Amino acid sequence: MSKRVIALGFFDGVHIGHGALLNMAVKRAAQLGAVAAAETFDVHPETVIFGRDMPLINNMADREALMKELYGVDEVIFTHFDETMMKVPWQEFVDEFLVRRYGAVHLVCGHDYRFGYKGIGTAEMLKEYCENRGMGCDIIPKVELDGVTVSSTHIRTLIESGDMETAARFLGHPHRISGTVVDGRKLGRTLGIPTANILIEDGILQPVHGVYACKAYVDDGVYPAVTNIGVRPTVDESGAVTVEPYILDFDGDIYGKTLRLDFYKFLRPERKFASTDELKAAVAKNVQETRTLFVQ
């Protein structure tokens, strides 16, 4: 079994606070000749423990990709969180899951890390437990930006309000949404504004409805995109929420493919226009704003 240095947390958003843990895990792994890993859950623990919805900043695939791309983590371990896992004592979680199953030789956690049944385990208890077993354990202090503690909770409020620029500073990267391109009603195509319809997984956080300047990653290319999130009130009365990027300078069949969107700027709220001509004029303005943003 490979030796692993494991960073512990849920890592929703993979923000700069998480980055401090992941950087330390990579550093310790290099020192110990071990695999740099992160252990996380597939379901947010609060959803199971408290029975409440917890909208997530990223899906599992994006969480894993961000940890590997930005911080050089070798492996992301997803553990299923259910009522059985919820009742596992913290000592058993360390011994049976981290050490015996995954070969942990060193652990990294945040200062406020709590784990195990009823959240009894703390960062300090983990450190002492590791020391008694000849293992290392780093506790990472809180990370602040502009006097605010960096947290997934704070970043969710920024995304929900459409403040993608501030969110990107706290994340350390643009907010990312990925999904499969599915067949839509092709209403944009009839207006000369062909859009892709992205299927977003249930439970993923929705930014405030409106139009955004994005970069779209598809077919190994990167393109500017004007993305509408909302119900398209001018052309659709169904009330269904969609995520639809108008990918500039791109013409190809991408149905069934995964499309990644990075969000850079909120351009305007969604609104119902008096005519499709008004809508087209607004989109043309948004296209110019997006092009201007990415040539600066």
Side-chain angles (χ1 to χ4, degrees):
M1 179 188 297
S2 298
K3 299 188 301 182
R4 289 179 174 85
V5 175
I6 303 179
L8 304 170
F10 192 73
F11 302 105
D12 191 25
V14 193
H15 56 59
I16 59 175
H18 299 141
L21 275 73
L22 299 170
N23 280 332
M24 180 60 76
V26 170
K27 175 182 175 182
R28 295 299 189 207
Q31 293 170 343
L32 297 170
V35 173
E39 190 277 337
T40 184
F41 295 115
D42 57 349
V43 177
H44 199 289
E46 289 192 18
T47 301
V48 177
I49 296 169
F50 301 112
R52 65 186 182 212
D53 292 334
M54 175 60 70
L56 301 180
I57 298 171
N58 299 119
N59 62 25
M60 290 169 58
D62 283 343
R63 259 194 292 160
E64 179 174 6
L66 286 164
M67 284 191 266
K68 290 181 175 181
E69 290 169 15
L70 299 179
Y71 298 104
V73 172
D74 299 311
E75 181 181 25
V76 178
I77 301 164
F78 283 99
T79 301
H80 180 52
F81 194 90
D82 55 15
E83 291 189 0
T84 300
M85 176 58 69
M86 179 178 71
K87 295 176 181 177
V88 172
W90 67 268
Q91 300 96 328
E92 183 179 331
F93 179 72
V94 176
D95 292 337
E96 296 299 323
F97 284 85
L98 301 179
V99 175
R100 190 162 301 172
R101 184 177 297 184
Y102 296 114
V105 295
H106 191 104
L107 301 175
V108 182
C109 68
H111 70 286
D112 57 352
Y113 182 63
R114 300 192 73 92
F115 66 111
Y117 186 44
K118 296 185 177 180
I120 291 173
T122 66
E124 293 298 338
M125 292 164 67
L126 177 63
K127 186 176 180 66
E128 182 180 0
Y129 196 74
C130 287
E131 288 173 349
N132 289 338
R133 281 155 179 74
M135 293 172 57
C137 179
D138 288 295
I139 300 175
I140 306 301
K142 69 179 178 180
V143 175
E144 292 187 339
L145 181 64
D146 302 333
V148 177
T149 299
V150 179
S151 70
S152 299
T153 300
H154 179 61
I155 292 166
R156 286 189 195 103
T157 64
L158 294 171
I159 293 171
E160 286 176 323
S161 70
D163 189 353
M164 295 302 178
E165 292 157 303
T166 305
R169 294 183 61 238
F170 278 80
L171 287 166
H173 56 86
H175 175 49
R176 177 183 299 189
I177 292 178
S178 296
T180 303
V181 179
V182 297
D183 266 320
R185 297 177 62 189
K186 300 182 174 62
L187 298 173
R189 197 170 297 276
T190 65
L191 301 174
I193 310 168
T195 60
N197 195 331
I198 310 302
L199 182 64
I200 305 300
E201 295 176 26
D202 290 341
I204 300 302
L205 184 71
Q206 280 190 20
V208 67
H209 291 183
V211 179
Y212 295 84
C214 296
K215 286 185 179 179
Y217 291 72
V218 61
D219 283 346
D220 298 323
V222 185
Y223 305 87
V226 176
T227 301
N228 186 83
I229 297 180
V231 297
R232 305 175 298 178
T234 307
V235 295
D236 187 1
E237 296 181 353
S238 70
V241 176
T242 63
V243 177
E244 293 191 64
Y246 171 29
I247 306 173
L248 310 183
D249 310 319
F250 177 81
D251 182 19
D253 183 1
I254 55 175
Y255 289 115
K257 296 184 179 181
T258 297
L259 176 63
R260 163 185 156 193
L261 293 172
D262 284 0
F263 286 73
Y264 283 81
K265 187 175 182 178
F266 179 77
L267 299 179
R268 63 171 173 84
E270 186 176 50
R271 54 166 289 203
K272 185 171 184 176
F273 292 94
S275 67
T276 55
D277 284 341
E278 274 193 28
L279 170 61
K280 290 166 68 175
V283 172
K285 180 174 183 291
N286 299 147
V287 166
Q288 187 56 52
E289 290 170 328
T290 298
R291 290 193 186 281
T292 300
L293 179 66
F294 292 132
V295 297
Q296 291 177 348

